[in-house]
Amino acid sequence: MAIGRHPMETYCGFGVVGAGLIAPFHINAIKDSRGGKVLGVFDVARDKAAQVAERFAVKAYSSLQEMLDDSNVRVVCVATPNHLHRDAVIQAAKAGKHVLTEKPPAMSLRETDEMIRVCKNANVKFGCFVQCRVRGAIQAMKSAVDSGRFGRLLHADAYMKWFRPQEYYTSDGWRGQKKCGSGVTVAQGFHYIDLLQHLAGQASEVDARMTNIGHPGINLEDEVLAHIQYRCGARGVVQLSTALWPGTDIRIELNGVNGTAIMTGEKIQTWKFRDEQPEDEQIRSIGDSSQATGAGGAADFGHRDHLVVVQDMIDSLSSDREVVIPVTSVRPTLEIVLAMYQSAKHHRPVTLPVHDDDTVWS
Ligand SMILES: NC(=O)c1ccc[n+]([C@@H]2O[C@H](COP(=O)([O-])OP(=O)(O)OC[C@H]3O[C@@H](n4cnc5c(N)ncnc54)[C@H](O)[C@@H]3O)[C@@H](O)[C@H]2O)c1
């Protein structure tokens, strides 16, 4: 398969920026992909880059520029802390590299829009690892929504009752700072707010309250309780926490006039529609060989969903199409999240669209 930049190239070369907790998930996903090859990693902490490079037998670049100068690197995966994605994304795009960034795209709409613009101008693809969207259960729910099987959607809810120990928040400077996206709303909850946005569409209003109930001395919310009004008319609740030991599987629930679907972890728990279809029995078995989905620990999950996102980027390059999760489709999720912070800060419901309000981080 000749999908590289040069006619003789038989692989799609990847570079990974940031060699921390999530980097091995990216590397394993690329290694397991059809046509992808990890060429190297870069981290400002050279020892971390060296360790990961040795573990996976890839190169440790000495600078981001060195990675970008490598003409065999076609795609750059950005796995730096949340508030630092922008610089790497923009530098990579301007060097003509396609980009897959970790979630959230950035901590502001301003930076997100800038990255989208720069990638568009550079004519490079710009995707995001909100990889829960690719789970079989979510794809089944999405197609039931799109084909109208729910009828009028009434509720779209997310429950994430997880646990992270105190040391998780003190393990690195950025993990204890709200403005770096280390509160539960961004660090863990972003995925599930994204699933609601993906399934039920954009919110028109959110009302959120944020508290710290289980991590004393850390200036972050470890609990969010929110109400969402969706533009489609549905309503929903979002309950997110990392203070609920030992942590149980997340739940995404959709209720429409004509049906109910519930995903627990990555399994279909409930799948019931008034118009039972032949494929429904098979859909009910989705997730039977379930993998852990992060309830009890930060690395307590597999790289299967990341692999789908990586494979999609490779395939999108060979067939010259858009990636399945472009950052443009994740921007509305960031908007909901920012609206939640604004609502919690001012103790009132917030109507979308919103603009950046940096006072929420203080
Ligand atoms: N998709 C998921 O399921 C998932 C899971 C965990 C983390 N994440 C996301 O991945 C990102 C990284 O999280 P993590 O837990 O791996 O963090 P981490 O702190 O473990 O790793 C981040 C690494 O980036 C490095 N770094 C910082 N600034 C840099 C720069 N300018 N250039 C190069 N390297 C730099 C740090 O030295 C560190 O090694 C975050 O955006 C986080 O939200 C996503």
Side-chain angles (χ1 to χ4, degrees), residues 20-22 43 48 80 82 85 102-103 131 174-175 191:
L21 181 143
I22 201 67
D43 197 301
K48 285 186 162 187
T80 55
N82 303 319
H85 295 169
E102 264 302 341
K103 45 55 65 171
Q131 74 276 1
W174 75 274
R175 287 203 200 278
H191 283 295

Side-chain angles (χ1 to χ4, degrees), residues 103-154:
K103 45 55 65 171
M107 288 303 296
S108 69
L109 296 168
R110 189 175 53 246
E111 287 192 354
T112 303
D113 290 341
E114 183 188 5
M115 293 187 294
I116 291 171
R117 195 171 55 245
V118 170
C119 287
K120 184 164 184 262
N121 290 343
N123 201 21
V124 297
K125 298 180 195 300
F126 184 25
C128 185
F129 285 104
V130 279
Q131 74 276 1
C132 301
R133 285 193 199 181
V134 306
R135 286 183 190 161
I138 295 300
Q139 292 192 37
M141 285 166 135
K142 174 76 172 150
S143 100
V145 169
D146 290 348
S147 64
R149 285 194 76 192
F150 284 95
R152 187 162 56 87
L153 205 57
L154 300 171

Side-chain angles (χ1 to χ4, degrees), residues 160 162-177 181-185 187-188 212 214-223 241-243:
M160 193 201 87
W162 279 11
F163 182 72
R164 294 291 181 269
Q166 186 84 359
E167 310 82 68
Y168 167 82
Y169 289 102
T170 52
S171 63
D172 205 320
W174 75 274
R175 287 203 200 278
Q177 295 188 56
S182 299
V184 66
T185 323
Q188 291 83 18
N212 184 320
H215 296 92
I218 311 285
N219 183 26
L220 282 177
E221 83 284 5
D222 63 8
E223 182 201 69
S241 183
T242 50

Side-chain angles (χ1 to χ4, degrees), residues 284-297:
R284 287 187 191 103
S285 66
I286 289 178
D288 271 358
S289 54
S290 207
Q291 63 177 356
T293 51

Side-chain angles (χ1 to χ4, degrees), residues 220-251:
L220 282 177
E221 83 284 5
D222 63 8
E223 182 201 69
V224 188
L225 301 176
H227 173 266
I228 299 187
Q229 176 74 52
Y230 298 92
R231 280 186 195 155
C232 69
R235 296 189 288 186
V237 295
V238 172
Q239 182 176 12
L240 310 169
S241 183
T242 50
L244 305 175
W245 185 87
T248 48
D249 280 340
I250 60 115
R251 255 171 37 241

